[in-house]
Amino acid sequence: MFKQVKSALFWYYLYKFRRKVVLIAFLLLIAFFANAIYSDIVQYLTLKEKLEYLELVLIGKWFIIIFNILFSIYLLLILFKKQEKNEKEKSVKNFEKKSKVSKEAPKKESKFTKREEEFLNKKLKSKADLLVER
């Protein structure tokens, strides 16, 4: 049973945030490819004996990897902030609705005349109660 619940939660959140998950996976894939491409470029430059370009290639590789990782972390942080923001907005809206209802309630009572209010607040008695009183 626990595995089913865990699986359901996993697929729910995966479906809900599928765009962000795909983007983060794509960015991490780019980081891994940058490492593979770097090793190929290093082999090529050592074969051609152009070692002065190795420093630029190394800086470029780490720039790509660090940028992708930081952007992935940024996307994850935004993901959770939006959820918190939505929850706060919902609670504020609910509070505003409740306050509007409580403000409108006295207005509804003022719509009636004094006689109508007395009639509405009058305690109704059944036939048995009337017989007992006599």
Side-chain angles (χ1 to χ4, degrees):
M1 171 96 178
F2 179 71
K3 288 183 179 181
Q4 291 174 340
V5 172
K6 191 169 92 173
S7 177
L9 287 174
F10 173 76
W11 287 109
Y12 169 75
Y13 284 115
L14 183 64
Y15 180 75
K16 186 175 182 182
F17 304 115
R18 63 187 175 272
R19 290 181 187 155
K20 300 281 185 188
V21 170
V22 168
L23 184 60
I24 291 169
F26 179 70
L27 290 172
L28 292 175
L29 187 67
I30 288 174
F32 289 123
F33 278 128
N35 194 24
I37 291 170
Y38 170 75
S39 64
D40 288 342
I41 291 175
V42 167
Q43 287 178 357
Y44 174 76
L45 291 175
T46 53
L47 288 174
K48 293 290 184 174
E49 296 179 3
K50 296 184 179 182
L51 301 177
E52 65 269 6
Y53 298 115
L54 284 178
E55 185 178 321
L56 295 173
V57 173
L58 180 66
I59 292 170
K61 170 197 139 179
W62 282 108
F63 175 76
I64 291 170
I65 290 173
I66 291 172
F67 173 76
N68 286 336
I69 291 172
L70 290 177
F71 192 60
S72 299
I73 292 170
Y74 171 74
L75 289 174
L76 284 173
L77 291 176
I78 287 178
L79 184 75
F80 293 115
K81 284 185 180 179
K82 284 185 180 179
Q83 281 182 326
E84 292 174 5
K85 196 179 270 188
N86 288 340
E87 290 174 3
K88 287 180 182 178
E89 288 176 3
K90 287 179 183 178
S91 64
V92 168
K93 286 180 183 179
N94 288 339
F95 179 73
E96 288 175 358
K97 286 180 183 179
K98 289 178 182 178
S99 64
K100 285 181 182 178
V101 169
S102 63
K103 288 179 183 177
E104 291 175 1
K107 291 179 184 178
K108 289 181 182 178
E109 291 177 3
S110 64
K111 288 182 181 180
F112 300 115
T113 63
K114 186 176 180 180
R115 184 176 179 195
E116 290 172 337
E117 286 179 15
E118 288 176 6
F119 180 74
L120 287 173
N121 295 332
K122 184 178 178 181
K123 199 170 195 181
L124 298 177
K125 299 180 181 178
S126 66
K127 288 182 179 180
D129 291 335
L130 291 173
L131 290 173
V132 170
E133 284 182 4
R134 290 184 187 176

